[in-house]
Amino acid sequence: MAQFSPRPVPEPPLLRIEPFKGMNLSVTPTQIDQSQSPDMLNMNIDERGALNKRTGYERVFPTSLGVGQINGLYEYRKKDGTVKFLIAHGTKLYTQSGSDQPVEIYNGLANNRVNFFTMNDKCYILDGTNYLVYDGTAVLAVTPYIPTLSISKLPAGGGEPYEDFNLLGAGFKDSFSADGTATVFQLSLTNLDAIAVTAVVDGVNKAETTDFTVDRVNGKVTFTTAPAKGTNNVIITAYKTQVGFPDRIKKCRFHTIFGGANDTRVFVAGNPERPDEMWRSGLQDPSYFPENGNYKMPGNIMGFAKQYDYLVVERDNGKHVVNYQLVDGVASFPSKPINDQVGTIAQNSIQIIENNPVSLSKDGVYMLTASNVRDERNVSHLSENIDARLLNEPNLENAVSVEYDKKYWLAVNGNVYLYDYVVGEWFFYDNIKANCFIERNRELYFGSSEEGLLYRFMKDTEGNPYNDDGAPIVSYWKSKQFTFGADELRKLVEKVYFGMKPMTRTSADLYYVSNKKESALIKTSRMDLLDFRNIDFNNWSFIVSSFPQESMAKIKAKKITHFQLVIKNDKLDEGLGLLSVGMKYRYQSAVK
């Protein structure tokens, strides 16, 4: 009788991870994509999906400006090509160049986060208390524009309204058409300040007490000699302090420049006493904020973003959009709500990502995808994969952000949540204590949240880029918890293969975690290139090829149901680059 041998069970293939993806904390470590990680630190991926340790940072200048955070960074560029790099720390404003220690140029700032902008070749500074201007030479209080409240005004009053009162100042003008006989001219405002009133009659300057007297209570100017008849030939300048008006602007904490297709006006907001209001400046004039140029929103204003020709106003309870219209030669800025569900909780989390505003809400990071239709579905939730960690951070309202290298950086409490929007994946960095960011010359800088220091992130092409101001960078990657497609079977994991990028200094420490134990160090693999520019005799290498190198480690993890691989590098000045990981395993007996 013929005998038949049982068909052999095919050996499982090598489980291979290539390319890598980002973090996913939205489900259990067994449910995520096999290329994602439930926990990784100071690692990211390149455009081809290779896993890389982040580079570190170095201090730009040697000595701290003192305790306390850097309050602001700004690159002030003048039309003549002059560039002034500004640093705000404590009550002082500094300029800084190269690796030189900053030079103090002003002392008198409020010790708050400082906001800068440039218009008309001058740098304007908002610190929540003061409104200053810097021309490259001196820092001074902004001199308010003096508006003309009315024109073609008769001596007895009336006339045509022309400009609004300036919230920033007390000065105003009235332009009269004299009749040749009247000597008393009624101003638009009464109860004037004691500041001297001035007048120009037919182009000739006239002085108070010499050429006219002033009844300040009733707002009347009486000339010694009646001005000659003319059209708008008598211009009188007087002053009236409106209590609280200047503070409406000076207490604002942030701005944007907007004018539809052109950036023609400054919009400011963030006044803690009027958190739901914003104000606009005059045309190309940051020294003029018209009394009636304010807008009230149905919620606290948290910041601004621009999308195409619209201004998006980020509220704490939703979003508004502001449009620019020119009606009969007069500019107007009508607004409408476009989303009343997703607001913004952090003023400095707002960035523009591929023409779409992105910000941090109480429920995570969201992107506004359309601003022309009111629809609660016009936002997309970007951070679902990392919200379990992000939303547990304290003080989220203090988060700061930057868009750099096609990535959205969100920093809070010394941690950075990094969104690579090209591949749609999230990563997590630590030990980056940033209070503000700035990109200069295609490099990323940040001001410390603890002391008066400025740091620059290094490039991987630089010598020894893998340290944080001289300290080691701890980095690791953890795989998902694999069941190898058979929850009901025990497995034997025999070997692990991984492809490493050769670098001047690099190593990978291999560990694993199973349902039975957490292993000690299994193996350390090195792939150091021979580099005569940076020789380490303790880790001498004869490798000269830049081609990836494969490593293998024997695991022998027996009778396990779940398996997680851990690859780590925490050594000073060492990088880590992984191209792929493969796990050789076998099925064993069924779970009983």
Side-chain angles (χ1 to χ4, degrees), residues 27 93 113 132 149 152 157 233 245 247 275 280 315 321 359 365 395 426 485 543 551:
V27 291
L93 185 65
R113 189 179 296 277
L132 306 170
L149 300 188
S152 302
N233 64 326
F245 273 22
D247 281 347
R280 62 170 172 83
R315 311 187 326 255
V321 65
S359 63
V365 177
N395 308 311
W426 283 92
I543 298 175
S551 280

Side-chain angles (χ1 to χ4, degrees), residues 90 98 102-103 118 127 132 171-172 183 197 235 343 366 377 421-422 454 457 470 478 528 554 589:
V103 176
T118 299
D127 64 8
L132 306 170
F172 68 94
T183 57
V197 175
I235 300 172
Y366 280 79
R377 298 166 296 177
Y421 56 82
V422 174
L454 177 68
F457 281 98
K478 296 182 180 179
D528 299 327
K554 293 182 179 180
S589 59

Side-chain angles (χ1 to χ4, degrees), residues 245-282:
F245 273 22
D247 281 347
R248 295 185 186 184
I249 307 304
K250 292 181 178 180
K251 290 187 176 182
C252 288
R253 307 300 298 276
F254 50 85
H255 84 285
T256 190
I257 300 177
F258 175 71
N262 300 302
D263 293 335
T264 55
R265 290 171 172 83
V266 181
F267 285 72
V268 297
N271 184 329
E273 296 173 358
R274 295 171 174 264
D276 57 348
E277 290 187 67
M278 65 182 189
W279 294 264
R280 62 170 172 83
S281 75

Side-chain angles (χ1 to χ4, degrees), residues 25-43:
L25 311 178
S26 65
V27 291
T28 69
T30 60
Q31 295 174 302
I32 62 177
D33 183 283
Q34 84 172 25
S35 294
Q36 291 180 321
S37 169
D39 187 14
M40 58 196 300
L41 178 65
N42 292 320
M43 302 289 287

Side-chain angles (χ1 to χ4, degrees), residues 155 176 182-187 192 197-199 211-216 218-223 234 236-238:
F176 293 86
T183 57
V184 179
F185 288 69
Q186 178 66 57
L187 299 175
L192 307 178
V197 175
T198 60
D211 302 298
F212 59 86
T213 59
V214 180
D215 176 356
R216 284 179 162 75
N218 295 303
K220 293 183 178 182
V221 172
T222 302
F223 286 91
V234 177
I236 300 174
T237 302

